[in-house]
């Protein structure tokens, strides 16, 4: 029913973490990336939550896309529909975690409301549509993008921890130097781009 | 189908479906059944529906923890002691709590969910504030412009400290389009829990006072909200210098009767200065003098500033501030120290503060309510 690109899901998974990292190549989801990365523990929780949400949203959005949006010819509405789906998925996920694992809720549940408006989630879902992935590809791409985001925020949190006390020009303190750091990280990740090409 | 119809319809149906799923899950997952809340070591026990934040759960039971942001976790005002272990502090709470508070299990009520039986501690004053639907039992003219209004609380009981006030809710009347609230000190004694008595002076042009004087009748209904305020007797051995004018009599009537009947704060001497312009403005004279006659540590000084010609007056004369000054310097033993308690017009309060400062009464030892 569609022409999915011929990429093995495993390759796609690795590619979405390294060569086309959703954060460092596409610069999506930067706001919570910058604000939460101050703290290692919170970064871990948020990264885990983002991975779960992107993966789940990619799967559910794929079903909505192929069984509702495309048959009805409503592709022009996919932005709106995906946002609704993401909001609902996050809400449901929060309720389930809250009920069944208070410990997990404490470490990642509280970040879920932040993620509803995280553009990395919508970005990944839209890539999935544009590149017309198959269901398996969509899911691996979703979880891969999330894992890439997770890796990036953990790296940044570690760097920020290391450079915490370093003397920085007054005007660059805080977000300024963080943005510069992210730029260096993005350049470093550029080094992966020769390994696997993914579109 | 027409795409103009199809698009919105699909989005609407999809949203409705997802909303339904969320609503059903919420019913199934967020159902913790009936949960017990034990407040202040079992002084109060509530059975509530679990699943919501503590702040909202308490509000539904009529206990209002102050909250400026309405429970979004952005003001940090709704602090309360949660003695039950409800897990570590959330990152949404930590910015508002000091390390000492965290060690004492202080939590933000808007962030703590009621899932199981909870043991919490709240300031007593919080659950005393209520809305009392009251009925006017009696209105009495004390002078030509001061009325004594007695409210019956219809079987409900108000817990308050002498000196506190209530807000009366004045309904819209005449050209006043909306409901207004005004604060009045209670003149009834705290032991009298089923009644509230207020002294209300007619202020020309005043919204609430005009309503009370011109419209309110015995048998009418009126809502009272309270008790509020921190104007009350301090627990020290210092001598009380109470000064009042007009309807400023109200809190002292409550305080004095309470102290005399219960023997509260036995170490304190009390001097009560009550000022009026003419004999026509004077009231409760016999009551206060009778109280002074049977109660050795209470001294009552009434003064008229402008006794009318032909009025018989055997008390002091002169401005109440001058009388106060003279008594402090000549008649009152200064050794236990002084505390000022003032109730009256802002002009009177300022003048009395000047006199007290002059006589070395510390500004931090002068108490008054600011709403007069």
């Amino acid at each position: 029913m569609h022409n999915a690109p011929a990429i093995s899901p495993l390759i796609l998974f690795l590619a979405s973490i390294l060569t086309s990292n959703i954060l460092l190549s596409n610069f999506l989801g930067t706001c919570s990336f910058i604000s939460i990365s101050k703290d290692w523990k919170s970064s871990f929780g948020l990264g885990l939550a983002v991975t779960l949400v992107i993966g789940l949203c990619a799967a559910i959005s794929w079903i909505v896309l192929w069984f509702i949006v495309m048959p009805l010819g409503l592709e022009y509405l996919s932005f709106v529909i995906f946002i609704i789906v993401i909001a609902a998925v996050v809400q449901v996920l929060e309720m389930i975690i809250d009920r069944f694992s208070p410990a997990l809720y404490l470490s990642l549940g509280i970040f879920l409301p932040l993620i509803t408006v995280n553009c990395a989630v919508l970005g990944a879902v839209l890539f999935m549509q544009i590149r017309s992935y198959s269901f398996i590809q969509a899911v691996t791409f979703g979880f891969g993008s999330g894992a890439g985001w997770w890796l990036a925020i953990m790296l940044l949190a570690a760097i920020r921890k290391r450079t915490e006390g370093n003397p920085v020009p007054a005007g660059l303190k805080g977000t300024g130097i963080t943005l510069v750091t992210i730029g260096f990280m993005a350049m470093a990740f550029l080094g992966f781009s020769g390994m696997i090409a993914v579109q | 189908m027409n795409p103009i119809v199809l698009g919105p319809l699909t989005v609407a149906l999809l949203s409705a479906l997802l909303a339904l799923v969320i609503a059903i899950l919420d019913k199934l997952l967020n159902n913790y059944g009936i949960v017990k809340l034990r407040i202040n070591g079992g002084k109060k026990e509530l059975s509530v529906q679990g699943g919501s934040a503590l702040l909202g759960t308490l509000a539904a039971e009529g206990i209002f923890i102050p909250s400026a942001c309405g429970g979004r976790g952005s003001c940090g005002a709704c602090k309360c002691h949660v003695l039950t272990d409800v897990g570590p502090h959330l990152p949404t709470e930590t910015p508002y709590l000091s390390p000492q508070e965290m060690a004492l299990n202080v939590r933000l009520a808007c962030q703590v969910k009621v899932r199981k039986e909870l043991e919490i501690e709240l300031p007593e004053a919080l659950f005393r504030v209520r809305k009392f639907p009251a009925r006017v039992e009696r209105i009495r003219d004390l002078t030509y412009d001061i009325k004594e209004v007695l409210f019956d609380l219809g079987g409900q009981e108000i817990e308050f400290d002498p000196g506190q006030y209530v807000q009366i809710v004045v309904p819209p009347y005449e050209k006043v389009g909306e409901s207004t609230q005004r604060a009045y000190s209670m003149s009834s004694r705290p032991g009298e829990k089923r009644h509230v008595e207020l002294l209300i002076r007619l202020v020309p042009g005043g919204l609430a006072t005009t309503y009370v004087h011109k419209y309110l009748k015995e048998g009418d209904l009126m809502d009272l909200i309270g008790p509020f305020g921190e104007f009350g007797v301090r627990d020290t051995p210092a001598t009380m210098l109470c000064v009042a004018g007009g309807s400023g009599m109200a809190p002292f009537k409550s305080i004095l009767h309470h102290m005399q009947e219960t023997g509260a704060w036995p170490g304190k001497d009390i001097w009560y200065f009550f000022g009026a312009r003419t004999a026509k403005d004077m009231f409760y004279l016999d009551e206060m003098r009778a109280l002074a006659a049977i109660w050795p540590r209470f001294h009552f000084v009434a003064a008229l500033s402008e006794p009318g010609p032909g009025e018989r007056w055997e008390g002091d004369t002169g401005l109440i501030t001058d009388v106060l000054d003279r008594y402090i310097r000549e008649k009152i033993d200064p050794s236990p120290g002084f505390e000022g308690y003032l109730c009256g017009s802002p002009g009177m309060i300022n003048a009395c503060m000047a006199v007290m400062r002059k006589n070395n009464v510390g500004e931090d030892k002068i108490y008054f309510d600011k709403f007069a």
Side-chain angles (χ1 to χ4, degrees):
Chain A
M1 77 201 203
H2 55 85
N3 308 313
I7 314 170
S8 136
L10 182 68
I11 304 267
L12 192 59
F13 182 73
L14 289 174
S16 53
I17 295 177
L18 297 174
T19 56
S20 54
N21 186 294
I22 193 129
L23 225 167
L24 297 171
S25 308
N26 296 304
F27 274 86
L28 290 173
T30 355
C31 5
S32 38
F33 181 58
I34 292 173
S35 58
I36 302 292
S37 59
K38 267 177 271 186
D39 170 52
W40 174 271
K41 237 176 96 185
S42 303
S43 299
F44 186 86
L46 183 64
L48 182 60
V50 166
T51 310
L52 256 177
V53 169
I54 300 188
L56 274 177
C57 283
I60 292 168
S61 301
W62 189 91
I63 297 168
V64 172
L65 175 68
W66 286 90
F67 291 99
I68 298 175
V69 176
M70 287 178 49
L72 293 176
L74 293 175
E75 284 90 343
Y76 68 97
L77 277 178
S78 52
F79 269 70
V80 179
I81 291 174
F82 287 156
I83 287 178
I84 296 171
V85 169
I86 292 169
V89 168
V90 170
Q91 186 75 43
V92 168
L93 197 64
E94 187 184 1
M95 284 194 308
I96 293 176
I97 295 178
D98 186 15
R99 176 62 174 169
F100 293 110
S101 173
L104 194 62
Y105 183 75
L106 202 66
S107 56
L108 75 83
I110 42 172
F111 299 112
L112 286 172
L114 284 180
I115 297 173
T116 322
V117 288
N118 189 321
C119 46
V121 184
L122 183 64
V125 170
L126 288 171
F127 280 139
M128 164 207 91
Q129 181 192 12
I130 294 164
R131 298 173 188 166
S132 51
Y133 286 144
S134 71
F135 183 72
I136 301 294
Q137 286 173 330
V139 173
T140 43
F141 175 73
F143 280 107
S145 298
W149 200 94
W150 193 1
L151 175 68
I153 196 172
M154 293 310 290
L155 290 175
L156 180 62
I159 295 173
R160 286 182 79 169
K161 184 99 200 151
R162 274 293 182 88
T163 56
E164 214 169 35
N166 291 10
V168 172
L172 274 178
K173 269 191 182 129
T175 312
I177 195 68
T178 308
L179 279 169
V180 174
T181 314
I182 299 172
F184 284 128
M185 289 171 69
M187 280 199 276
F189 265 68
L190 216 57
F192 290 116
S193 61
M195 291 167 56
I196 326 156
V198 69
Q199 266 314 312
Chain B
M1 205 195 277
N2 187 336
I4 295 178
V5 180
L6 186 66
L9 194 70
T10 314
V11 172
L13 282 178
L14 189 70
S15 313
L17 180 76
L18 291 171
L20 189 71
V21 170
I22 292 176
I24 291 172
L25 273 175
D26 188 46
K27 263 272 177 295
L28 291 178
L29 294 180
N30 243 342
N31 185 1
Y32 293 86
I34 302 293
V35 178
K36 246 201 212 144
L37 287 181
R38 279 166 55 82
I39 304 173
N40 293 5
K43 266 197 194 156
K44 204 175 169 91
E45 286 204 13
L46 300 171
S47 294
V48 298
Q49 186 70 44
S52 322
L54 184 58
L55 182 72
T57 308
L58 286 174
E61 295 290 326
I63 298 172
F64 300 99
I65 299 181
S67 159
C69 69
R72 287 180 293 121
S74 60
C75 72
C78 60
K79 289 175 187 171
C80 81
H81 276 93
V82 178
L83 304 179
T84 315
D85 180 25
V86 288
H89 286 86
L90 301 176
T92 41
E93 293 175 280
T94 43
Y96 303 103
L97 301 172
S98 67
Q100 293 94 318
E101 284 174 324
M102 287 202 218
L104 287 170
N105 266 325
V106 174
R107 309 291 300 236
L108 294 191
C110 67
Q111 301 297 314
V112 173
K113 252 190 172 185
V114 181
R115 289 201 176 86
K116 52 181 179 182
E117 183 171 330
L118 287 186
E119 174 111 34
I120 58 176
E121 261 176 24
L122 298 172
E124 292 279 337
L126 272 185
F127 41 80
R128 301 202 295 193
V129 174
R130 284 218 308 266
K131 188 179 206 170
F132 296 90
R135 194 179 55 79
V136 179
E137 186 168 305
R138 189 185 67 216
I139 300 180
R140 202 153 69 99
D141 282 318
L142 294 179
T143 70
Y144 61 96
D145 70 346
I146 297 178
K147 284 184 191 294
E148 178 198 271
V149 186
L150 184 69
F151 292 94
D152 175 37
L153 301 185
Q156 290 204 62
E157 296 195 340
I158 185 167
E159 296 273 346
F160 68 100
D161 297 320
Q164 285 195 298
Y165 64 89
V166 289
Q167 314 239 41
I168 65 170
V169 182
V170 180
Y173 71 99
E174 261 184 20
K175 288 178 197 135
V176 186
E178 50 193 41
S179 170
T180 43
Q181 294 189 13
R182 288 290 186 277
Y184 291 96
S185 296
M186 287 175 274
S187 55
S188 42
R189 55 209 84 174
E192 178 79 40
K193 292 181 202 289
R194 290 171 185 235
H195 288 91
V196 164
E197 184 190 85
L198 307 177
L199 308 184
I200 298 176
R201 189 174 76 87
L202 179 65
V203 178
L207 289 181
T209 64
T210 306
Y211 179 79
V212 169
H213 276 254
K214 301 269 149 71
Y215 293 88
L216 197 66
K217 298 184 304 293
E218 289 176 0
D220 283 358
L221 299 177
M222 184 176 247
D223 284 336
L224 308 180
I225 301 174
F228 299 103
E230 276 143 28
F231 183 73
V233 181
R234 268 42 179 196
D235 192 11
T236 65
T239 296
M240 295 170 70
L241 299 174
C242 309
V243 190
S247 54
M249 167 73 85
F252 297 115
K253 184 185 173 192
S254 176
I255 289 172
L256 294 170
H257 279 130
H258 176 74
M259 287 175 79
Q260 194 262 328
E261 280 165 19
T262 62
W265 303 289
K268 285 176 111 64
D269 264 346
I270 307 139
W271 285 81
Y272 180 26
F273 298 86
F274 185 66
R277 214 156 57 87
T278 66
K280 262 172 38 193
D281 297 293
M282 189 55 81
F283 60 97
Y284 284 161
L285 210 52
D286 295 338
E287 187 174 337
M288 288 297 141
R289 283 181 177 158
L291 194 63
I294 57 165
W295 192 24
R297 62 180 167 125
F298 172 59
H299 314 274
F300 179 59
V301 180
L304 292 185
S305 59
E306 300 167 30
E311 280 182 345
R312 277 193 54 220
W313 177 247
E314 61 264 37
D316 286 80
T317 41
L319 281 172
I320 195 67
T321 42
D322 297 336
V323 177
L324 172 70
D325 191 33
R326 198 169 67 234
Y327 271 79
I328 297 180
R329 282 189 287 113
E330 296 169 7
K331 304 212 166 154
I332 310 177
D333 171 20
S335 55
F338 292 127
E339 276 168 359
Y341 295 84
L342 311 175
C343 191
S345 66
M348 188 213 88
I349 289 181
N350 287 336
C352 288
M353 284 183 73
V355 169
M356 289 185 174
R357 268 197 305 268
K358 200 179 79 183
N359 288 289
N360 300 319
V361 181
E363 195 135 341
D364 55 332
K365 293 198 168 53
I366 305 177
Y367 312 108
F368 52 90
D369 265 327
K370 289 188 189 71
F371 59 80

